[in-house]
Amino acid sequence: MNEFLLMQMVAAERLCVAHESKQVVLSELKNSLAGASGEQRTASLLKRELDLPGAIFLSDVHMPYKEGNAQIDLLLVHAAFICVLEVKNMIGEFYFDSVNFQFHRMIDGRREGMRNPEAQLHRAVKAASGFLGVPVHGVIVLASRSGKVVEAPKQYPVVSLDYLPFHLEQLAHGAKLFNVATITAKLQGLPVRNTNRHWLERQKITLDSLRLGVTCPTCRNCPLVWQERKWHCDGCEFTSRDAHEVTLQEYAVLFGNKLDTRVAYQLLGVKDKYVLYRLLEKSAPKSNVRGKRQIIENRDLLRAYFGRVYK
């Protein structure tokens, strides 16, 4: 789960039902989960079955391209070739119109126009080639066995996930063209792209639009109450001493690691300042600025929490 997917999960769970972007956020999250599942299956298969010693995989890479960025699902770097993988975890019959460069699929008798994977891949290949200064291959990967290509694209191959290892192995002809360490070092030096603020603004998400409080991990929509040095759920009798740490990470993934102490009272739903200070002592210690705290980043807490929710 990358940072953006975690942000979508937090927003989907915390947004008030009546919020104007609630359904849009849920729909986008559904698509992101499908995409992440396909990319995870692809990466797992390649690590297990690809016979290319020394190959390096990088996921969710954002390459500078013209005045913006191009997002790459998976990038394979090998001494003999570099390849961009555009992973699609979709079902239905797929039609690539190479004349007008449009794309649609047929599913349950319905025609659905969608973003053209070939155009997305072409943009990513151009970005990678331009940034690295070397030729780059591209392939569209069908991660679902329930997808079928009826009209194929002209510029790039489309391969099923099962066949992908063989396709990639055929791209390696033995000659070492690239220094893998140099290429990966350049890629890892790319700045982390922060899409949070833009996405939050587009969806009109602010702290006031969210359900605050420490969420019960069992009921999920029920706020916990701090009593006798524990968090208690009145609905299912769940108790915990550190459930607030997930809440702090949820805030941080949306709004950043800096936390105003006045906001912390609202966020955790406590009123006693001594209780608040004890809760924040380790997870969000005081910063050098009066009234400000710094949340210690620990996204694995969110991955564990949402891993149970979306398993």
Side-chain angles (χ1 to χ4, degrees), residues 256-269:
N257 293 333
K258 294 181 179 179
L259 176 64
D260 191 296
T261 303
R262 291 174 298 178
V263 173
Y265 285 104
Q266 298 175 269
L267 182 66
L268 301 185

Side-chain angles (χ1 to χ4, degrees), residues 245 248-249 252 257 280-285 294-299 301:
E245 293 186 5
L248 292 172
Q249 294 302 314
N257 293 333
L280 299 181
E281 184 178 8
K282 294 181 179 180
S283 303
Q294 185 75 16
I295 299 172
I296 297 174
E297 187 170 310
N298 186 359
R299 299 295 189 261
L301 286 176

Side-chain angles (χ1 to χ4, degrees), residues 212-250:
L212 301 180
V214 178
T215 302
C216 174
T218 304
C219 302
R220 287 181 55 200
N221 289 320
C222 185
L224 300 176
V225 178
W226 181 260
Q227 292 176 342
E228 299 177 352
R229 301 198 174 193
K230 284 184 181 181
W231 292 106
H232 295 261
C233 176
D234 293 335
C236 67
E237 299 182 354
F238 169 84
T239 62
S240 170
R241 290 189 181 275
D242 57 8
H244 63 283
E245 293 186 5
V246 171
T247 303
L248 292 172
Q249 294 302 314
E250 288 180 312

Side-chain angles (χ1 to χ4, degrees), residues 84-279:
V84 173
L85 282 64
E86 179 70 27
V87 181
K88 293 301 173 187
N89 188 23
M90 303 186 298
I91 63 175
E93 296 181 342
F94 309 136
Y95 295 79
F96 292 84
D97 180 353
S98 296
V99 176
N100 299 309
F101 293 99
Q102 295 178 331
F103 172 80
H104 73 271
R105 70 170 174 173
M106 296 296 297
I107 180 170
D108 297 330
R110 304 188 317 272
R111 172 178 170 145
E112 293 184 355
M114 307 177 73
R115 290 185 66 188
N116 190 341
E118 185 178 24
Q120 292 175 270
L121 176 59
H122 186 60
R123 189 172 187 270
V125 167
K126 288 185 68 177
S129 180
F131 178 74
L132 298 174
V134 298
V136 174
H137 294 271
V139 58
I140 299 170
V141 182
L142 298 184
S144 172
R145 292 190 176 94
S146 299
K148 177 184 177 182
V149 177
V150 179
E151 291 184 11
K154 291 291 195 301
Q155 294 192 40
Y156 296 96
V158 181
V159 302
S160 66
L161 182 57
D162 293 334
Y163 183 74
L164 182 61
F166 304 101
H167 173 81
L168 294 175
E169 288 164 9
Q170 290 174 357
L171 295 178
H173 301 294
K176 293 185 177 181
L177 305 176
F178 309 110
N179 185 311
V180 174
T182 301
I183 293 289
T184 53
K186 187 172 184 179
L187 291 167
Q188 290 169 349
L190 285 167
V192 177
R193 182 168 177 259
N194 189 345
T195 59
N196 294 26
R197 179 174 295 179
H198 174 73
W199 189 79
L200 291 173
E201 289 176 354
R202 179 162 60 87
Q203 304 299 350
K204 300 179 181 178
I205 297 174
T206 63
L207 187 67
D208 292 337
S209 63
L210 302 177
R211 172 183 52 79
L212 301 180
V214 178
T215 302
C216 174
T218 304
C219 302
R220 287 181 55 200
N221 289 320
C222 185
L224 300 176
V225 178
W226 181 260
Q227 292 176 342
E228 299 177 352
R229 301 198 174 193
K230 284 184 181 181
W231 292 106
H232 295 261
C233 176
D234 293 335
C236 67
E237 299 182 354
F238 169 84
T239 62
S240 170
R241 290 189 181 275
D242 57 8
H244 63 283
E245 293 186 5
V246 171
T247 303
L248 292 172
Q249 294 302 314
E250 288 180 312
Y251 177 89
V253 83
L254 289 178
F255 305 112
N257 293 333
K258 294 181 179 179
L259 176 64
D260 191 296
T261 303
R262 291 174 298 178
V263 173
Y265 285 104
Q266 298 175 269
L267 182 66
L268 301 185
V270 298
K271 297 180 179 179
D272 189 300
K273 69 176 182 179
Y274 298 107
V275 170
L276 182 72
Y277 291 170
R278 283 199 300 270
L279 292 173

